[in-house]
């Protein structure tokens, strides 16, 4: 049900954290809503917060609510993410990732929670009903979902968790934990408290969103809400306290641990991938460093390959290092991926060549590298695998891509 229950945190929309909207627009949780919160808290196994506020906002007023909650500290992360997604071609040309996610939230959300402020908002016309029982069944489900986010924030400090998840991979893994936890609890509450009282034909599912999101963002939402829920269910089935321990620890840290739950039992952790910390030449500036992660690597491959082939090619991921630069001709990006062994690296290189062939008019094979200028104008270079590592370069100009590739070769 991700299309109607986005949490601002989950979407990393810059306007979803920070200052609160005017207090006159929210009220302390009424008794009937407090009773529902107590039910959700009992299902989740956490004590409810002593105070929580609730408000109603009309959809046309949602942008102003989000603007009023904007926090400047989110801008840097959003800028970095947009730059990475553009150079990798994860979104259609001209699409800004933060703006696209904001549009998804504004058009599809049915409820949201503002982290750090203990405020739940229902997006609907009219005043707040006297009781949750007066809401549509699907609205009650969304409210239960957001109550879980309030529990998470109260016990584990959602904003602290976000600050600790400093890379693209860690942030997405954290979102999958938070949304998976909320969706699992929502499902349990629905089965126990909502469904038994409903008659035939009750509207349990929210209405569909007005427009489909870009495919890459739809894959991320499905990872958070669907894969995340399945993973949380697995964790709780074997160890009910595992979710709380992960939240206290700051999250799983890597999407690979969600995609491959068996890795947790082995003590596996990503490592072994590195890029030079300095820019390649005068006139260049290092903008950011991050980790891309297995899920986003598979999502990137799906921009030109079938889903199964993309997932198989990314499955050998062991670690990566990502850097973005301001280059003489625009922006540039380097991504070095370490795989579990040289065979996996070679298989990825073959699949990635297929991606380049699907997205560029031609792929030029040169000594030690493949060069392709995609139809969106970005030049991509794939260096020959070095043992278990593959290095990729992307830049707005071919000259910058070649300069960065030459700098990274043998480094």
């Amino acid at each position: 049900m991700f299309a109607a229950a986005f949490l601002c945190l989950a979407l990393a929309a810059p306007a979803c954290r920070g200052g609160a909207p005017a207090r006159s627009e929210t009220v302390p949780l009424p008794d009937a809503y407090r009773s529902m919160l107590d039910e959700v808290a009992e299902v989740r196994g956490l004590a409810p917060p002593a105070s929580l506020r609730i408000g109603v906002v009309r959809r046309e007023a949602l942008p102003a609510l989000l603007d009023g909650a904007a926090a400047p500290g989110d801008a840097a992360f959003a800028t970095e993410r947009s730059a990475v997604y553009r150079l990798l071609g994860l979104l259609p040309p001209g699409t800004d990732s933060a703006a696209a996610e904001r549009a998804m939230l504004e058009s599809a959300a049915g409820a949201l929670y503002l982290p750090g402020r203990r405020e739940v908002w229902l997006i609907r016309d009219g005043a707040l009903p006297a009781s949750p029982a007066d809401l549509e069944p699907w609205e009650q489900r969304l409210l239960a979902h957001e109550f879980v986010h309030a529990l998470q924030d109260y016990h584990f400090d959602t904003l602290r968790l976000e600050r600790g998840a400093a890379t693209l991979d860690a942030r997405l893994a954290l979102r999958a934990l938070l949304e998976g936890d909320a969706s699992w609890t929502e499902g349990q509450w629905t089965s126990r408290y909502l469904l038994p009282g409903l008659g035939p034909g009750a509207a349990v599912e929210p209405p569909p969103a007005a427009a489909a999101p870009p495919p890459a963002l739809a894959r991320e939402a499905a990872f958070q809400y669907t894969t995340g829920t399945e993973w949380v269910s697995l964790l709780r089935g074997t160890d009910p306290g595992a979710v709380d321990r992960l939240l206290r620890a700051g999250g799983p840290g890597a999407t690979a641990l969600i995609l491959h739950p068996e890795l947790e039992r082995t003590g596996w952790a990503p490592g072994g991938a590195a890029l030079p910390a300095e820019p390649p030449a005068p006139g260049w500036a290092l903008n950011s460093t991050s980790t891309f992660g297995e899920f986003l690597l598979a999502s990137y491959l799906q921009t030109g390959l079938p889903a199964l082939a993309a997932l198989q090619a990314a499955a050998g991921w062991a670690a990566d290092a990502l850097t973005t630069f301001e280059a003489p001709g625009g922006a540039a990006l380097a991504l070095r991926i370490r795989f579990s062994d040289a065979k996996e690296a070679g298989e990825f290189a073959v699949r990635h060549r297929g991606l380049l062939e699907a997205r560029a008019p031609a792929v030029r094979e040169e000594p030690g590298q493949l060069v392709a200028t995609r139809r969106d104008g970005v030049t991509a270079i794939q260096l020959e695998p070095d043992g278990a590592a593959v290095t990729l370069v992307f830049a707005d100009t071919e000259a910058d891509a070649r300069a960065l590739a030459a700098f990274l070769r043998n480094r």
Side-chain angles (χ1 to χ4, degrees), residues 264-279:
E264 190 273 335
R265 295 190 296 271
T266 69
W268 176 90
L275 286 167
E278 70 273 13

Side-chain angles (χ1 to χ4, degrees), residues 2 89-91 172 213-225 227 295-296 298-305 307:
F2 68 85
L90 272 164
L91 295 174
L172 189 54
L217 298 187
R219 289 193 291 270
E220 289 184 27
F223 175 73
Q224 295 170 54
Y225 290 88
T227 307
F295 173 82
L296 285 174
S299 183
Y300 161 64
L301 291 172
Q302 287 181 69
T303 62
L305 297 178

Side-chain angles (χ1 to χ4, degrees), residues 171-214:
R171 185 74 65 97
L172 189 54
L174 173 63
R175 295 176 197 164
L177 174 61
L178 293 169
E179 293 299 346
D181 181 27
S183 296
W184 180 90
T185 306
E186 171 208 322
Q188 296 294 308
W189 177 87
T190 297
S191 297
R192 188 180 306 180
Y193 291 101
L194 180 62
L195 293 181
L198 295 181
V204 177
E205 295 297 329

